[in-house]
Amino acid sequence: MNIRQLKGFAAVMDSGLISKAADEIGITQPAMSKMIKQIEDELGIRLFERSRGRLFPTPEASYLKNVANSVLNQLNEATRFLQDYGNMRAGDLRVMSIPGPSLFFLPNLINEFVPALSQVNASLMAWNSSSIVNWISNHQSGVGIVEIYDPNPFLRLETLDLRCACALSKSHKLAAKEILTPEDLSQESLALIVSDHPLFEDIQAVFKAAKCPMNIKFQSDLFVPQFAMIEDRGLIGIIDPINIRNYEIYSGRSDNIVFRRFEPRVGLKLTVVSPSLRPLSALENEFRSVLVGELTKIAEPVLR
């Protein structure tokens, strides 16, 4: 017995008339009569007694109707769910990231991406790069942001180079300049990422090449704590676009801190990771595209 036969049988049970049931599912009356006969022959039972032009269901038909209702309801529910899934209004969205992007940038992006009142279950985990790579490699699902990573046969990798900018108080004397260099910063107090971070090594290299000292007064493993030192103590930071966005989100686009281009260019290199051995769901694949697009858009930040 197939789904079409179940629908035809259920229509006959609901209407009690072959003609009305045939119209309901879009076939002729003889075709509907033949369908009911085929079901009876297949099951070896009589489903209806005929009297005065109407059909009266047997006890076996009543039992089959309960089964048909259950099957058709599950089919309708599955159809609705998969349509929502295809329209990205249902499903699981797993996002993993190193801590910085998970503070404000990713929650804001997920909030904009997931439709209101949808059936999407979103999760965001802040882990280190190795844990993210291991999880996605083993489970072959999810989307992650890690520090630049070597090629991996289990992962699809897309690395982006996000140009950093100087962050300083709007009242700082150097805020009047559009471009800042190591020479400009050589006599200033700096707030920077910790010394074992790849970005610190790149910053250190450009200062060394310019033969300029680095007067570091504050270091942290996240960029966000640096903003308090920049705003309150007049330090200058060299900040990536994600954390510029973090600041704009949590500060309500306050103008207490301004951002200026830093030359020569230094960038924070991040990699978007996803499985390579199994396709992502439509939902996660679309989010991955949105994430890469957003990172590409802010890679060369518009400064204010």
Side-chain angles (χ1 to χ4, degrees):
M1 189 185 312
N2 57 41
I3 295 298
R4 183 174 175 81
Q5 288 174 321
L6 275 182
K7 289 181 177 179
F9 165 74
V12 173
M13 286 288 290
D14 289 337
S15 67
L17 296 171
I18 290 286
S19 57
K20 188 173 181 180
D23 289 341
E24 185 176 322
I25 68 169
I27 61 175
T28 65
Q29 184 172 335
M32 177 61 77
S33 297
K34 182 178 180 181
M35 181 183 292
I36 297 300
K37 182 67 167 56
Q38 287 173 337
I39 297 173
E40 290 179 328
D41 290 345
E42 180 180 342
L43 298 178
I45 58 175
R46 191 167 184 81
L47 294 174
F48 297 98
E49 298 292 344
R50 293 159 178 81
S51 176
R52 298 180 182 179
R54 292 188 64 86
L55 300 178
F56 295 90
T58 64
E60 292 83 359
S62 297
Y63 173 80
L64 181 59
K65 178 61 161 57
N66 290 334
V67 174
N69 284 345
S70 177
V71 171
L72 294 174
N73 286 339
Q74 289 184 53
L75 178 63
N76 290 336
E77 183 177 342
T79 300
R80 285 193 299 270
F81 177 81
L82 290 172
Q83 287 173 340
D84 284 345
Y85 207 95
N87 294 329
M88 291 170 290
R89 296 186 63 85
D92 295 324
L93 175 61
R94 299 179 186 87
V95 183
M96 288 146 275
S97 173
I98 53 177
S102 68
L103 293 176
F104 298 97
F105 172 75
L106 279 173
N108 190 68
L109 190 64
I110 292 170
N111 183 55
E112 292 177 351
F113 176 78
V114 175
L117 304 179
S118 72
Q119 298 300 310
V120 172
N121 298 313
S123 63
L124 172 60
M125 302 298 295
W127 291 340
N128 61 44
S129 293
S130 295
S131 296
I132 294 170
V133 166
N134 289 337
W135 198 96
I136 294 179
S137 295
N138 292 333
H139 292 80
Q140 286 294 296
S141 67
V143 178
I145 298 179
V146 301
E147 292 166 351
I148 188 168
Y149 228 81
D150 294 331
N152 182 320
F154 301 103
L155 295 174
R156 178 184 176 189
L157 307 175
E158 186 157 354
T159 298
L160 299 104
D161 188 351
L162 310 181
R163 181 178 193 138
C164 295
C166 288
L168 61 164
S169 169
K170 68 177 181 180
S171 61
H172 197 288
K173 63 181 184 294
L174 291 179
K177 301 190 68 172
E178 292 185 1
I179 298 174
L180 298 178
T181 66
E183 289 80 6
D184 294 316
L185 304 185
S186 61
Q187 301 301 314
E188 302 297 331
S189 298
L190 303 179
L192 297 177
I193 197 72
V194 290
S195 301
D196 60 353
H197 194 284
L199 178 59
F200 179 89
E201 296 173 2
D202 291 344
I203 295 171
Q204 188 177 49
V206 299
F207 273 80
K208 185 175 181 179
K211 298 181 180 179
C212 294
M214 296 171 64
N215 183 24
I216 303 171
K217 293 297 185 182
F218 180 76
Q219 288 183 276
S220 60
D221 57 355
L222 293 175
F223 288 94
V224 169
Q226 298 172 24
F227 289 122
M229 307 301 290
I230 293 168
E231 192 167 346
D232 297 338
R233 298 200 176 185
L235 275 60
I236 297 179
I238 299 177
I239 309 291
D240 70 276
I242 288 179
N243 283 290
I244 292 175
R245 182 65 61 86
N246 279 340
Y247 175 76
E248 291 174 343
I249 294 170
Y250 88 76
S251 70
R253 293 189 174 272
S254 165
D255 62 354
N256 292 334
I257 291 178
V258 295
F259 301 94
R260 298 291 180 259
R261 182 176 295 275
F262 180 70
E263 294 285 359
R265 189 187 196 282
V266 292
L268 176 67
K269 298 175 180 64
L270 296 178
T271 300
V272 176
V273 297
S274 56
S276 65
L277 301 183
R278 190 169 69 182
L280 289 172
S281 68
L283 180 70
E284 289 184 331
N285 191 56
E286 180 63 18
F287 181 77
R288 184 190 182 283
S289 297
V290 169
L291 174 59
V292 171
E294 187 67 17
L295 291 174
T296 301
K297 184 169 69 176
I298 68 173
E300 295 288 332
V302 177
L303 305 178
R304 57 178 178 82

